[in-house]
Amino acid sequence: MNTANAISIPTVDLGSLHLIAAALVCAERGWPVIPLHPGTKRPAGHPERACPGTGRCESGHCTPEQRATTAPELIHAAWAQKPYNVGIATGPAGLLVIDLDVCKPEDPEGAPDGATSFTALCERAGEPVPLTYQVRTPSGGRHLYFTAPKDVRLKSSVSRLGPHIDTRAWGGYVVAANSTTPRGAYEVAENTVVAKLPPWLTALLVEPTRSAEPPALSPVKDGTKAARTALERECAVIRAATEGGPNGRNKTLHTSTCKVARFVAWDLISRHTVEEAIQAAGESTGLSAAECRTTIRSGLEWILAHATPRQAT
């Protein structure tokens, strides 16, 4: 055999086959997919704050949503490398997914989980719980898939519909069925057609019309005047950030968090107050709740470990 002319055939990890199949099934449905780090819910690739500004990011950071694809050849090429979990970019897929989460250990006893909150929401509206395609999450929660209305651009939301009810639309993604984490697998719970999002739910999720001027931040009452002023100023900076580039949303979120974290280190304002205000500001730009929490925690922890004495003020 003439090895010089032999064709190189890429090998595929057998453990990736069911994940390649899951990604291709999503693509066939018209749902663009992204690779998630094996065994996790985190997108593969660099975050916005570490964007090198080269290659496909030369004109600005390419978010996971922008990298999502339905092209079979790109899916085969990506999932042949590693057993990536599968993420669905909900906005480009034309989906709105309602995430019914379970209660957290820190929740008070008797607090409603997402399923209970959603059932109560439907009852108050005088509507039945919609029947649609559903995925069971490893924690015991549910993802309810809906076709998003074409005449409105719905964004992801956190607790807008009720306790432990999040939504994933533009600016977000969900983990597809057959992906796995150390806690278990994402499994199809209701294998039926994806229903249209009911109009009454659409009305609850439509963003209010914004005025030309950004809304004023709620006054911060905790902490010293200097700390409160710094927090309010940085929240305004975060809300004004735009997607992509060296001054993108995530980079701005991290930088502003670090600036305010000094006041936490100096005991001039509580960490809870800072996290709550900056989380709200970050989510208002379209960043997911999880990405905001990760970035904020990273900035706070680094400053708390390396802050200079208060005399540096």
Side-chain angles (χ1 to χ4, degrees), residues 179-257:
S179 299
T180 59
T181 70
R183 298 187 66 177
Y186 287 78
E187 301 173 334
V188 176
E190 290 289 345
N191 194 11
T192 185
V193 296
V194 177
K196 292 182 179 179
L197 184 67
W200 69 273
L201 279 171
T202 301
L204 295 176
L205 293 169
V206 171
E207 292 285 338
T209 303
R210 293 189 178 187
S211 59
E213 292 296 323
L217 293 170
S218 300
V220 178
K221 300 180 180 180
D222 176 45
T224 66
K225 181 178 180 179
R228 295 196 304 270
T229 300
L231 177 58
E232 291 168 359
R233 180 180 63 241
E234 294 306 325
C235 283
V237 170
I238 293 166
R239 291 189 176 198
T242 56
E243 185 175 316
N247 297 315
R249 299 170 301 171
N250 206 311
K251 176 69 173 177
T252 301
L253 182 65
H254 188 265
T255 300
S256 292
T257 299

Side-chain angles (χ1 to χ4, degrees), residues 94-185:
L95 294 173
L96 181 130
V97 177
I98 296 180
D99 180 6
L100 306 180
D101 206 356
V102 297
C103 291
K104 304 294 190 294
E106 61 270 21
D107 288 330
E109 185 177 354
D113 60 9
T116 302
S117 296
F118 188 63
T119 299
L121 176 68
C122 294
E123 289 177 350
R124 289 195 300 272
E127 300 284 349
V129 175
L131 176 63
T132 190
Y133 177 85
Q134 298 182 27
V135 172
R136 184 184 301 106
T137 69
S139 67
R142 291 275 180 125
H143 289 168
L144 279 57
Y145 285 56
F146 295 94
T147 300
K150 297 183 182 299
D151 58 343
V152 62
R153 187 182 175 98
L154 297 176
K155 295 182 179 180
S156 300
S157 69
V158 178
S159 300
R160 183 163 184 164
L161 295 178
H164 298 301
I165 306 177
D166 298 339
T167 65
R168 297 291 176 260
W170 285 98
Y173 66 91
V174 290
V175 184
N178 293 319
S179 299
T180 59
T181 70
R183 298 187 66 177

